[in-house]
Amino acid sequence: MIETNETHDPALTSWVSSANDAHSDFPIQNLPFAIFRLSGSSESFRGGVAIGDQVLDLAKAQKSGVFTGIAQQGLDRCCEPTLNAYMAMGQPVWSALRLALSRALRTGAEAEKSLQHCLIPQADVEFDLPCTIGDYTDFYTSVHHATSIGALFRPDNPLLPNYKWVPIGYHGRASSIGVSGQMFHRPVGQTKAPDALEPSFGPCKRLDYELEMGIYIGKSNELGDPIAIDQADQHVFGLCLFNDWSARDIQAWEYQPLGPFLAKNFASTVSPWIVTTEALAPFRKAWNRDENDPQPLAYLDSETNRSHGAFDISLDVSIETEQMRANGEPASFLSRSSFIHSYWTVGQMVAHHTVNGCNLQPGDLLGSGTQSGPLHEEAGSILELTKGGKEALVLANGEQRTFVEDGDAIIMRGWCEASGAARIGFGEVRGQVLPAKYKG
Ligand code: MN
């Protein structure tokens, strides 16, 4: 497990003054990574670290002469157009660069003079995916989501008997994952109403979002060598916000017997910033399994997982309709939840994924599954909030929604707060639906 250290000291401030704003997602205690370039330019994409409302350009920082040793070796890899090579280097390098960046960005640091010219306002940049995502696996770790979705798809049998023993997941598709700002066309496909004799074909009528955490693998494991639960932190580079767009009507017709397919592979959106596992150290919490539930098998259990396996990350979702944009109205709040409710931890997901010898590779993405909380209003999908499309939501401007409509943007945010720690945030992930490319 990664301990807190001087980089987490809540008393630290930065010479980048916007980082000292108590409401900033990116104080000096955070230091998340992204891939960026100047908006609309033909510059090469390269690594950046968020500090306040600025991006520290890591390709410029690499040439600044400020950094040495292992931290500089890490920076060498951060100049590349993807972070895969840096993520592959492992926790000792990630930790050395974090410490060096923290010291260089602190109030009073000598490095200020050399790094001033390495800052670019976040408002002036565009992002790419932070890494090449080779493989993507989506888990299903919220028992509240699994139970309420299960009740909609199988009223007589909502939670299948394996749920409390196995961290359930499926292999998704990486090619359609995009970075925040992603716009995609409403999917088209086969659906069948429960009372229809035959399926029909056309644009999805029940388009949904899923409020998830994304988990990026850094250091790989060899094929055949499982990652033990207490070793997971050495392999998980960090977390992001993740919207796993879902076509519920397509899903309902196709998902048996092999699970989700075209209902899930038309688009998924990640936030640009990866908040590192180390930055999240102050927000680890005990993970508890109800004594009336099955206790995890030995490979999914450890003292450290029980004492610090969970991450307390507050999450919220809002919707911005075309009408809101046209009228200059703010997005309308939909729900709030937390990753703390997850039935399985990140360590358990990694241990389970590799227990059969499966090799995870740098840049692989694990989705947590929709993070619905215990209360109805904490649901992480519109399908749950509207009880299967039966109860329309009334938005702040009076518009109504049962599912996501063309022109709607869904915006998710995440942040962490704990006593004795500086608040850090994930920024946001935003994605927008365009009309279907369908000519009847
Ligand atoms: Mn999902």
Side-chain angles (χ1 to χ4, degrees):
M1 205 198 87
I2 296 159
E3 307 286 341
T4 54
N5 53 49
E6 68 172 77
T7 65
H8 302 94
D9 181 352
L12 290 182
T13 57
S14 173
W15 51 262
V16 182
S17 58
S18 58
N20 306 325
D21 178 340
H23 302 291
S24 173
D25 276 351
F26 309 117
I28 192 165
Q29 292 84 357
N30 193 349
L31 305 176
F33 286 74
I35 286 288
F36 81 100
R37 69 178 176 192
L38 200 60
S39 288
S41 75
S42 54
E43 292 176 353
S44 301
F45 280 101
R46 68 272 189 190
V49 160
I51 179 78
D53 60 7
Q54 306 287 306
V55 183
L56 180 73
D57 183 335
L58 296 180
K60 282 188 178 161
Q62 188 258 356
K63 294 184 188 70
S64 67
V66 167
F67 301 96
T68 56
I70 302 176
Q72 179 70 17
Q73 289 167 28
L75 272 186
D76 292 346
R77 300 277 77 81
C78 292
C79 302
E80 297 174 15
T82 70
L83 290 171
N84 296 72
Y86 176 62
M87 293 161 76
M89 294 176 95
Q91 185 61 46
V93 179
W94 308 335
S95 205
L97 180 53
R98 174 178 167 84
L99 178 62
L101 288 169
S102 172
R103 288 179 175 170
L105 290 166
R106 283 177 203 173
T107 305
E110 263 181 46
E112 177 175 353
K113 274 200 298 287
S114 315
L115 293 180
Q116 274 285 3
H117 77 285
C118 306
L119 296 175
I120 304 177
Q122 284 174 33
D124 295 346
V125 308
E126 61 189 17
F127 296 101
D128 199 355
L129 285 174
C131 54
T132 302
I133 300 170
D135 272 308
Y136 154 52
T137 302
D138 199 23
F139 283 90
Y140 197 49
T141 67
S142 164
V143 70
H144 309 294
H145 173 74
T147 305
S148 54
I149 288 280
L152 293 168
F153 282 67
R154 293 177 307 275
D156 50 331
N157 190 16
L159 197 65
L160 295 173
N162 56 3
Y163 187 86
K164 293 185 171 181
W165 294 97
V166 180
I168 298 293
Y170 68 94
H171 283 123
R173 186 160 183 89
S175 66
S176 50
I177 299 175
V179 74
S180 186
Q182 184 179 30
M183 293 188 175
F184 64 90
H185 293 277
R186 175 176 296 273
V188 167
Q190 276 197 39
T191 59
K192 192 181 92 57
D195 52 354
L197 291 175
E198 289 184 350
S200 50
F201 182 81
C204 162
K205 292 191 180 75
R206 291 162 72 92
L207 183 63
D208 201 354
Y209 57 83
E210 292 192 329
L211 172 64
E212 302 199 18
M213 297 305 304
I215 298 143
Y216 282 106
I217 299 302
K219 196 174 134 197
S220 59
N221 61 305
E222 291 294 323
L223 185 63
D225 289 346
I227 298 172
I229 186 166
D230 283 346
Q231 285 301 307
D233 279 5
Q234 303 299 314
H235 294 266
V236 174
F237 178 67
L239 273 55
C240 70
L241 302 168
F242 184 54
N243 182 353
D244 182 27
W245 297 95
S246 298
R248 299 301 185 191
D249 43 358
I250 296 173
Q251 183 179 355
W253 173 228
E254 76 173 4
Y255 87 107
Q256 287 179 320
L258 287 186
F261 182 32
L262 302 184
K264 299 280 192 171
N265 68 3
F266 54 92
S268 311
T269 318
V270 290
S271 58
W273 298 108
I274 307 177
V275 175
T276 63
T277 307
E278 187 168 354
L280 291 165
F283 311 102
R284 306 289 289 252
K285 288 279 166 64
W287 171 85
N288 297 301
R289 174 57 51 85
D290 191 299
E291 61 182 22
N292 299 313
D293 276 3
Q295 299 306 300
L297 295 183
Y299 77 97
L300 296 172
D301 204 359
S302 80
E303 268 181 44
T304 307
N305 187 63
R306 294 216 179 224
S307 62
H308 290 88
F311 289 92
D312 189 3
I313 302 172
S314 297
L315 299 166
D316 79 16
V317 190
S318 53
I319 184 169
E320 180 194 85
T321 67
E322 216 160 59
Q323 189 183 314
M324 291 171 194
R325 267 195 303 283
N327 296 341
E329 296 161 349
S332 180
F333 173 83
L334 289 176
S335 73
R336 177 173 294 179
S337 184
S338 172
F339 194 30
I340 197 78
H341 303 305
S342 186
Y343 195 80
W344 299 103
T345 65
V346 170
Q348 288 168 324
M349 288 183 241
V350 170
H352 184 67
H353 203 308
T354 61
V355 72
N356 64 346
C358 175
N359 51 331
L360 298 177
Q361 306 203 71
D364 281 1
L365 183 71
L366 313 182
S368 65
T370 310
Q371 293 302 304
S372 298
L375 303 175
H376 170 71
E377 59 268 29
E378 294 170 331
S381 70
I382 203 167
L383 180 72
E384 292 165 86
L385 289 175
T386 63
K387 299 185 177 163
K390 289 193 186 75
E391 294 179 11
L393 299 174
V394 181
L395 309 182
N397 66 350
E399 284 183 277
Q400 297 198 0
R401 285 292 180 276
T402 46
F403 287 96
V404 181
E405 295 188 6
D406 292 350
D408 289 351
I410 297 291
I411 301 146
M412 298 172 175
R413 290 178 310 190
W415 66 96
C416 302
E417 289 170 318
S419 64
R423 176 197 181 280
I424 64 171
F426 284 75
E428 65 173 39
V429 59
R430 178 193 177 94
Q432 189 175 321
V433 185
L434 304 171
K437 284 187 175 178
Y438 178 70
K439 300 282 184 275

